[in-house]
Amino acid sequence: MTLQTDLTAPAPRTDHGASSYPRFLERVRYEGAYPTRERAEQAVRAVLAALGRQLVGDERVDLAARLPVEAALVLTAQVPATTPLTGWEFVKDLAQRTGGSLATTRWDVGAVLAPLARLAGPELTDRIIGQLPAGYALLFGRAELPTP
């Protein structure tokens, strides 16, 4: 019996089950210095919903495949926007939707997207940033280099 592997398929999740979402929340809680897991989960849900409105195509599908199920459901429950937002517009839109300040919302976005980028891996994160308008690299904890 021979096992074939599709090299173009997203990497399979290695941490299935109930513990993967709590681990992701703990990473976000640590990154954002949130006092409680509930506060970290609020940030995760808000940011993933906002990102779900921006991502389309293979990047959306591949990211959902690497996220814990609970997080993937939040991301994929969103209908993609017809007009993509720049990174700054993304933060302003999320602040307006959540009622948070721009500074707090920017903090929440970074606290969620930095661990998300580590979970997604560098190749998928590059593809996601490449699909989105300017300003997202910094939100994912990366330098935004000008295109020559």
Side-chain angles (χ1 to χ4, degrees), residues 3-12 62 66 123 127:
L3 184 64
Q4 258 186 326
T5 308
D6 181 1
L7 297 177
T8 61
D62 292 349
R66 294 185 190 185
E123 186 270 330
R127 289 177 29 221

Side-chain angles (χ1 to χ4, degrees), residues 88 91 94-95 101-111 138-141:
W88 178 236
V91 172
L94 185 56
S101 71
L102 290 174
T104 301
T105 303
R106 171 58 182 93
W107 181 269
D108 290 346
V109 169
L138 291 173
L139 300 178
F140 278 92

Side-chain angles (χ1 to χ4, degrees), residues 48-49 51-53 55 60 63-64 67 71-78:
L48 287 180
L51 186 61
R53 290 188 290 275
L55 281 181
R60 179 182 173 105
L63 179 59
L67 290 173
L73 290 173
V74 173
L75 179 84
T76 59
Q78 305 305 309

